[in-house]
Amino acid sequence: MIHPFKLLLGACLAWTLAAPAGAADLPKVKLFTTGGTIQSRASNRDKMMEYTDGRKVEPQELLDALPELKAIADMSYLEISNVGTPHLHNTEQQLRLAKAINEWLARPEAAGAVVTHGTAMLEETAYYLNLVVKSDKPVVVVGSMHPWSAISRDGPMNLYNAVRVAADPGARGQGVMVLLNDEIDAARDVTKNNTYRVDTFVSRDLGPLGYADSDRIVFYRHSLKRNTAHSEFDVSNLSTLPKVDIVYAYQEADRAPIDALVKAGAKGIVLDDNADGFPAATKAGQAKGVVFVQSDRKGSGRVMLSDKAAAKGLVTADDLNAQKSRILLRLALTKTRDPKEIQRMFNEY
Amino acid sequence: MPSFNTAVSRAALMLCGGLLAAACATSATAPPKEALPPPLPKDAVLPEIPQDIPPAPAPANQAALPHVVLMSMGGTIASRASTRLNITNYGGKEVQRVDPQDWVHDLPELGNIARVTTEDFRPPVDRPSGPETFEDLEMVAKRLNQLAQDPTVDGVVVTHGTNTMTEVAYYMDLVVKTHKPIVFVGSQRPWTGLSGDGPLNLYNAVRVAASKDAWDKGVLHCMNQNINAARDVMKTSAYRVQTFRGPDAGALGFADPDKVVFYREPVRRHTYQSEFAGFDYTSVPAVEVAYGYEEAPGYLIDAMVEHGAKGIVIDGTGAGSATTSQTEAIKRAQAKGVVFVMTTRTRSGRVQDTPRRRESHIVAGDDLQPEKARLLLQLALTKTTDLNEIKRIFDEY
């Protein structure tokens, strides 16, 4: 737990650091690029969708486009990939990303890390990193809603602000953060809330941790959930993660998807809400050792701890949405298959 | 109920009110004496607590429960009406108020979560809860500081009218030196209202005050199951039950059916970290608020200065702008030593410390609502009139 005063002190320090200095004195921030809209170009400036018809933005181009960064950080980069979100759904790459960030932050001279990412599944990668990064140095995941080629593109300012936060000692101990639209959100709590607007990332009940405003980086909240340096999860020696999938519930939802996933070898299943056919299929899956987590499709509020659910061996997701429950369950299953122990993890992370 | 429509009974009431105020004023070192409430009339409306369903049985070891002080500053939650559908014109002199003991009597469940004792800091019967005087505030602050030091007390719940409760809560957040939870609660519907929110709000507030997890988080606010920080929460709807939220910074946690749970803690300085906490304030400098709008005139600012304002909060437009006329009046006032803080009427977002604002010697109010910036400036002015020092205070609190 970081003391509030420490954060304040950090914020003040960052302010004074904003004064011009030699590159050698500036905090060292590494940019890990994975792609996404922020690294996409379209054939026209007014093209805000289907913008895959232009040349991808290379990491060096991101840095070259923002000479302002030279005043706030000593930048370097490492390219992980240059793909849109749907293609990032790849465990090997997620493991490689975590290892690269951990290697960087373990170096004493490293101040922080910034990760570019497509926005559609940004919240999942951010939460995953929140659980497996072994450092309290700032890690900021950033994206954009408009492509790099668009008029009024949001990418440059988002990237600039993400670096400011990553370079800010006041951002230490806040876990992995997501920065778009001036807002600093906690990776655990933030979700994409709108398909196209620039204010898409919100933490529905809890709000942002703070802001990257022109005058300073400012924090109002500190998360109480375990993360990063305080997390028990370690993927450094793993070459894969357990298969976990999500089944969505709706009126007359069939049990068939659950049965099919069990058959396909899922080690865990997140049930996003409940339907008539689910309990029987859940019981059958549990008999084969599959762990089930109950989340809720409403998008805000908690799934309560209930004796009834616990008696059935069901883990409740608290206020994690289904996609984040899936990430936590994957990591939990690297440690245990005991629903009680996994429930502890869902209470703590 | 007897009619109060005669001059004689009105005078008698005012006398009673005066006596009550006097009783409170002298009780700064001891909780106010609780007189037994007069019995309710036979046709009185009951609160929204189903009488055909029994309360949960008491836990085995009630004596081991935390001790929560339930302090009434009144409010809608302490008001009755003569019909269940009256949820707007409740209270008034003809209708008996809810005494603190009535809550405990109506909600025996409170005894299952805490050993609840009550204290009465309501305004006199002829004055609504809400716009209390500074003396009223200080009386409560003094008592809260005592309770914070009292080893037999584990937490405090304070009821208050919802209109101004977030300012009162923020004032306590700045001046009460406590690690223990102090939880402000109210209701949007009177205690007698159909589907009244008061009983559950009160129950949940006591749960939060009794929770070990609620310690060290500053003064809290709990209604509609949301636990908010006093600094950031504001009333956003005149009548809906989901009225209290932060325009930007969200809830710290929730009083949910399974447990009281926290996800966040505030970063800004509060209670035990506050340099303003633990002192008695007999008075604070006058600070007023001037609203920003097209053609907002400077003479209102001149008038405030003439009436002795030592500080003025301009609730400006947009990112914190004043009109030309206001700007001229600000300069006139600054020449007389008046300190200015700028907030924004947009409510969400921050007023930043920009170079132009520094040149005009106006302190940025950050994201504070003007009524809260006013209280912080009042406390700041008890210590200093140095602008850099006041800027630091607005950055840290």
Side-chain angles (χ1 to χ4, degrees):
Chain A
M1 198 81 29
I2 180 158
H3 193 277
F5 284 132
K6 213 167 138 192
L7 293 172
L8 282 167
L9 187 70
C12 298
L13 266 175
W15 206 0
T16 51
L17 276 177
D25 308 324
L26 289 172
K28 293 190 191 325
V29 173
K30 197 182 276 294
L31 179 66
F32 298 82
T33 61
T34 76
T37 302
I38 194 167
Q39 289 183 253
S40 296
R41 281 194 190 89
S43 50
N44 290 302
R45 295 195 309 189
D46 63 351
K47 209 168 177 189
M48 304 287 174
M49 53 182 282
E50 298 179 344
Y51 36 75
T52 50
D53 50 357
R55 195 171 55 80
K56 292 277 183 211
V57 183
E58 301 299 326
Q60 190 60 51
E61 291 180 288
L62 291 174
L63 299 180
D64 290 346
L66 281 169
E68 293 88 347
L69 290 177
K70 290 195 169 76
I72 53 173
D74 178 4
M75 296 296 300
S76 57
Y77 70 85
L78 176 70
E79 182 169 60
I80 302 289
S81 65
N82 200 343
V83 291
T85 308
H87 314 290
L88 243 174
H89 194 60
N90 174 329
T91 304
E92 181 274 324
Q93 187 174 287
Q94 294 283 16
L95 292 170
R96 193 151 47 84
L97 175 62
K99 278 171 198 165
I101 293 174
N102 276 327
E103 274 168 27
W104 165 245
L105 295 179
R107 290 160 65 164
E109 73 271 23
V114 173
V115 183
T116 64
H117 204 287
T119 55
M121 296 176 196
L122 183 150
E123 64 193 79
E124 285 155 85
T125 298
Y127 184 51
Y128 158 77
L129 293 175
N130 194 50
L131 298 172
V132 302
V133 166
K134 295 271 156 215
S135 168
D136 68 354
K137 294 175 184 173
V139 176
V140 187
V141 186
V142 67
S144 74
M145 293 302 286
H146 300 160
W148 197 252
S149 51
I151 47 177
S152 291
R153 56 188 180 161
D154 53 336
M157 185 61 112
N158 287 347
L159 181 58
Y160 177 72
N161 280 334
V163 173
R164 284 175 69 209
V165 175
D168 183 352
R172 283 182 82 129
Q174 287 283 22
V176 173
M177 292 158 279
V178 171
L179 191 142
L180 281 92
N181 199 37
D182 303 346
E183 230 180 79
I184 306 168
D185 280 283
R188 181 190 183 278
D189 305 310
V190 75
T191 193
K192 191 175 179 182
N193 185 56
N194 185 292
T195 48
Y196 282 105
R197 313 287 166 256
V198 294
D199 57 343
T200 180
F201 280 94
V202 298
S203 304
R204 289 197 178 110
D205 283 325
L206 302 170
L209 297 175
Y211 302 96
D213 270 339
S214 308
D215 58 341
R216 61 174 176 145
I217 306 290
V218 56
F219 285 94
Y220 295 91
R221 292 284 187 266
H222 179 242
S223 176
L224 294 169
K225 292 289 177 174
R226 287 176 71 175
N227 60 51
T228 54
H230 303 285
S231 168
E232 69 201 89
F233 303 111
D234 187 353
V235 293
S236 52
N237 295 316
L238 299 180
S239 55
T240 185
L241 290 172
K243 177 177 166 59
V244 173
D245 285 281
I246 298 169
V247 178
Y248 199 73
Y250 42 91
Q251 282 196 336
E252 304 184 73
D254 201 312
R255 65 175 280 175
I258 299 174
D259 296 335
L261 286 172
V262 172
K263 205 173 161 196
K267 301 287 176 256
I269 295 176
V270 178
L271 302 172
D272 202 25
D273 235 303
N274 217 333
D276 264 357
F278 285 10
T282 301
K283 220 171 168 185
Q286 284 172 328
K288 294 189 173 162
V290 180
V291 176
F292 285 80
V293 169
Q294 182 72 61
S295 69
D296 193 287
R297 67 178 195 178
K298 286 167 212 60
S300 106
R302 297 174 52 241
V303 181
M304 313 277 164
L305 285 169
S306 108
D307 296 339
K308 226 189 225 173
K312 288 184 197 155
L314 258 185
V315 177
T316 51
D318 204 89
D319 67 341
L320 287 178
N321 62 25
Q323 56 269 31
K324 288 191 186 163
S325 299
R326 173 181 172 271
I327 302 288
L328 180 54
L329 181 53
R330 288 189 97 182
L331 291 166
L333 287 169
T334 64
K335 296 255 176 197
T336 178
R337 295 170 79 157
D338 175 14
K340 270 203 191 101
E341 179 65 359
I342 296 176
Q343 183 66 66
R344 174 191 64 77
M345 294 168 178
F346 271 82
N347 294 345
E348 292 180 4
Y349 289 90
Chain B
M1 292 280 282
S3 161
F4 287 98
N5 287 339
T6 65
V8 176
S9 8
R10 195 170 292 136
L13 250 181
M14 283 167 73
L15 183 65
C16 290
L19 283 175
L20 181 68
C24 290
T26 53
S27 66
T29 49
K33 273 271 184 316
E34 291 173 5
L36 272 180
L40 282 175
K42 283 211 163 51
D43 57 349
V45 185
L46 294 172
E48 195 68 83
I49 300 169
Q51 300 302 317
D52 52 337
I53 314 281
N61 195 2
Q62 240 173 331
L65 292 175
H67 174 200
V68 171
V69 174
L70 174 54
M71 180 188 284
S72 179
M73 292 183 78
T76 301
I77 196 168
S79 299
R80 287 193 174 88
S82 46
T83 71
R84 296 200 299 172
L85 289 178
N86 180 353
I87 55 170
T88 50
N89 281 301
Y90 45 86
K93 287 172 197 161
E94 289 80 10
V95 188
Q96 202 170 313
R97 303 189 295 184
V98 182
D99 287 282
Q101 305 97 305
D102 294 342
W103 287 321
V104 179
H105 170 265
D106 289 348
L107 267 181
E109 289 89 343
L110 295 179
N112 294 356
I113 41 180
R115 287 175 293 124
V116 175
T117 57
T118 61
E119 296 191 9
D120 195 348
F121 280 83
R122 286 178 295 174
V125 278
D126 58 344
R127 219 183 66 200
S129 166
E132 49 271 283
T133 62
F134 178 75
E135 288 71 30
D136 296 332
L137 272 193
E138 249 318 295
M139 196 161 62
V140 172
K142 206 178 240 184
R143 182 64 189 145
L144 288 174
N145 267 313
Q146 288 169 353
L147 292 173
Q149 301 300 319
D150 183 343
T152 69
V153 173
D154 297 291
V156 185
V157 170
V158 185
T159 77
H160 196 280
T162 55
N163 289 352
T164 54
M165 75 191 304
T166 65
E167 319 160 47
V168 175
Y170 183 54
Y171 183 73
M172 302 307 162
D173 195 46
L174 295 171
V175 303
V176 179
K177 208 174 190 68
T178 181
H179 292 271
K180 296 172 193 172
I182 295 173
V183 187
F184 273 73
V185 67
S187 69
Q188 286 288 82
R189 296 178 184 167
W191 195 243
T192 47
L194 191 64
S195 290
D197 53 335
L200 186 56
N201 283 347
L202 191 64
Y203 179 72
N204 282 334
V206 173
R207 287 174 69 211
V208 176
S211 165
K212 262 283 167 201
D213 292 337
W215 283 54
D216 292 334
K217 296 196 171 56
V219 171
L220 302 171
H221 178 277
C222 182
M223 282 172 66
N224 198 36
Q225 295 182 230
N226 292 315
I227 305 167
N228 276 290
R231 181 190 182 279
D232 304 305
V233 71
M234 65 180 274
K235 190 174 183 182
T236 64
S237 165
Y239 282 108
R240 310 294 159 250
V241 295
Q242 78 279 19
T243 180
F244 283 96
R245 37 189 156 195
D248 289 317
L252 299 178
F254 309 97
D256 268 341
D258 59 338
K259 59 174 174 173
V260 170
V261 56
F262 283 87
Y263 293 83
R264 300 274 176 88
E265 63 187 2
V267 171
R268 294 303 183 99
R269 289 172 72 173
H270 59 72
T271 55
Y272 65 91
Q273 312 153 333
S274 168
E275 68 202 89
F276 308 108
F279 306 109
D280 289 339
Y281 295 91
T282 48
S283 69
V284 286
V287 172
E288 310 296 341
V289 178
Y291 201 67
Y293 49 94
E294 285 206 22
E295 302 187 80
Y299 67 77
L300 295 179
I301 294 169
D302 294 334
M304 289 169 180
V305 175
E306 225 169 277
H307 277 251
K310 301 288 177 254
I312 294 175
V313 176
I314 308 284
D315 195 33
T317 57
S321 297
T323 61
T324 310
S325 174
Q326 283 180 321
T327 304
E328 285 161 2
I330 289 169
K331 282 182 193 149
R332 287 194 291 274
Q334 283 173 330
K336 294 179 182 167
V338 178
V339 175
F340 282 82
V341 170
M342 183 66 77
T343 59
T344 170
R345 68 175 197 183
T346 60
R347 289 300 167 270
S348 157
R350 296 174 55 242
V351 171
Q352 301 183 27
D353 186 25
T354 59
R356 210 173 291 156
R357 206 175 319 278
R358 277 195 290 273
E359 275 165 31
S360 53
H361 308 292
I362 297 176
V363 177
D366 204 88
D367 68 341
L368 284 177
Q369 298 130 38
E371 59 271 23
K372 289 181 184 165
R374 171 180 173 266
L375 291 166
L376 183 56
L377 182 54
Q378 285 185 298
L379 289 170
L381 288 171
T382 64
K383 300 226 167 209
T384 180
T385 51
D386 178 70
L387 280 187
N388 284 326
E389 182 62 1
I390 295 175
K391 271 179 197 166
R392 174 193 65 78
I393 289 168
F394 272 82
D395 282 347
E396 293 182 3
Y397 288 87

